């Protein structure tokens, strides 16, 4: 009898390995400083690790409730009300998820039906498009302003059709670091008024907003919160991206649909980590101080590149710095952004991510993205190597 592996038609035939995995592997191969993939190279607070260890020792090692540990949902509700003034019911409007990526996929699977359109503002995080495809939806890309990465409401309005099910937004923005203003959220609310269009707001970098600005969560505006899934991440906030613990908030009718999917694709999330995070959240100082922590790293990195041939794009939020490399010597400026990132990794020893990876149709803008969520010595080593570029 022959050995045969049936190969079905792919659900995602156009996709291969993500650019983040490709560049991280290349960085390891060439012993490059990895400023590509967005994770810290330092540990989380020992007090948080101790809280999780204490939770394990206390016996929190079996299934927690499907929506999440009640104490953690209550802590999330209290934080959101204190920061953004919106009261979510922890019993019916908050669910703890296996990271923000799972939260976004689950929201799409819950509300998008085959043929529904989902507007995505590009450049956009690379999971959005395949998530929409897995839900049977049709992604409708709408470009952000290529210079400022701000929303173009005329283009968003033009993209709305009777088939539009949802819009996905992200602030602070990955990859550009742009931050939505209160006025822009109001414009979006006015644009959606009178429609049944839902909103999925990716706010995983909510505590990384700089220069005295304040994060404008969708939760602040009742007319938007009433139609929104709002997603955040403990991994990003507490420097523990490998834990994959996040959460989503939504009005009870939307959350009921979300949980129908959540209970069958994840069911629930690591019990001890939930208990540990809940205990750690009693002190708001770690997330309230995060903007200052990362602004210092941003300023250190930007200062180190100030005299280089890179043109620094504004970075009001997130932990990503985008740069234009069109001013480098002609043979480098002529490279597309993927080739430029590969060259930087091999020849200079610093890995970055091409911005074209965040566009469904690619981009030739000569812009690449660095992650500055690194130890100071890591940033300094990268800056020393990049200083050789002219």
């Amino acid at each position: 009898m022959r050995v045969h592996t049936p190969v079905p038609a792919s659900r995602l035939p156009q996709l291969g390995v993500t650019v983040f995995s490709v560049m991280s592997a290349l960085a390891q191969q060439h012993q490059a400083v990895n400023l590509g993939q967005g994770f810290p190279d330092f540990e989380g607070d020992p007090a948080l690790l101790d809280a999780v260890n204490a939770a394990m020792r206390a016996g929190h090692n079996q299934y927690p409730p499907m929506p999440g540990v009640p104490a953690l949902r209550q802590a999330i509700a209290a934080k959101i009300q204190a920061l953004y003034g919106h009261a979510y019911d922890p019993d019916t409007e908050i669910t703890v998820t296996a990271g923000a990526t799972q939260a976004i996929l689950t929201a799409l699977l819950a509300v998008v039906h085959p043929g529904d359109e989902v507007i995505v503002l590009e450049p956009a995080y690379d999971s959005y498009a395949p998530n929409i495809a897995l839900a049977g939806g049709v992604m409708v890309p709408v470009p952000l302003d290529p210079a400022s990465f701000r929303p173009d409401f005329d283009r968003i309005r033009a993209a709305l059709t009777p088939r539009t099910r949802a819009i996905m937004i992200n602030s602070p923005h990955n990859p550009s670091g742009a931050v939505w203003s209160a006025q822009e959220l109001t414009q979006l609310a006015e644009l959606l008024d009178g429609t049944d269009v839902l909103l999925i707001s990716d706010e995983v970098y909510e505590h990384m907003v700089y220069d005295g600005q304040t994060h404008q969560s969708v939760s602040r505006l009742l007319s938007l919160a009433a139609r929104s899934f709002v997603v955040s991440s403990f991994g990003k906030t507490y420097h523990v991206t490998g834990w994959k613990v996040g959460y989503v908030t939504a009005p009870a009718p939307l959350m009921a649909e979300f949980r129908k999917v959540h209970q069958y694709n994840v069911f629930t999330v690591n019990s001890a980590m939930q208990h540990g995070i809940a205990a750690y959240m009693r002190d708001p100082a770690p997330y309230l101080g995060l903007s200052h922590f990362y602004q210092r790293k941003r300023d250190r990195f930007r200062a180190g590149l100030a005299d280089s041939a890179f043109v620094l794009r504004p970075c009001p939020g997130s932990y990503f710095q985008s740069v234009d490399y069109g001013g480098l010597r002609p043979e480098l400026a002529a490279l597309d952004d993927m080739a430029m990132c590969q060259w930087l990794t091999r020849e200079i020893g610093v890995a970055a991510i091409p911005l074209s990876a965040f566009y469904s149709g690619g981009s030739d803008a000569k812009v690449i993205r660095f992650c500055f969520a690194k130890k100071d010595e890591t940033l300094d080593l990268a800056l020393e190597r990049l200083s050789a570029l002219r």
Side-chain angles (χ1 to χ4, degrees), residues 309-323:
F310 289 119
V311 176
L312 293 162
R313 294 292 187 94
C315 177
S318 82
Y319 51 44
F320 301 114
Q321 175 64 60
S322 293
V323 303

Side-chain angles (χ1 to χ4, degrees), residues 110-182:
V111 300
V112 173
H113 297 261
D116 285 350
E117 294 177 350
V118 181
I119 293 173
V120 174
L121 308 183
E122 291 191 325
Y125 184 60
D126 70 341
S127 80
Y128 296 175
N131 286 179
I132 293 166
L134 288 171
V138 177
M139 188 180 90
V140 178
V142 174
L144 296 164
D145 182 278
S148 66
F149 297 103
R150 308 221 68 80
D152 184 327
F153 289 99
D154 289 336
R155 288 188 168 187
I156 296 172
R157 182 179 292 104
L160 288 169
T161 76
R163 295 181 300 278
T164 303
R165 174 64 62 192
I167 295 178
M168 301 182 71
I169 67 172
N170 174 209
S171 177
H173 184 239
N174 177 17
S176 74
V179 174
W180 278 53
S181 68

Side-chain angles (χ1 to χ4, degrees), residues 34-114:
N34 189 356
L35 303 188
Q37 196 166 359
F39 60 86
D41 67 345
F42 47 85
E43 293 301 319
D45 186 347
L48 174 59
L49 308 186
D50 290 344
V52 171
N53 184 55
M56 286 190 282
R57 295 293 183 187
H60 296 296
N61 301 302
Q62 308 306 326
Y63 293 130
M66 180 270 288
V69 168
L72 181 55
R73 286 183 279 125
Q74 291 160 10
I76 293 166
K79 185 195 84 164
I80 292 171
Q81 185 158 24
L83 292 181
Y84 309 132
H86 187 88
Y88 285 102
D89 185 329
D91 292 329
T92 61
E93 298 184 322
I94 298 174
T95 300
V96 180
T97 60
T101 302
Q102 181 250 315
I104 291 168
L105 172 60
T106 301
L108 289 164
L109 290 172
V111 300
V112 173
H113 297 261

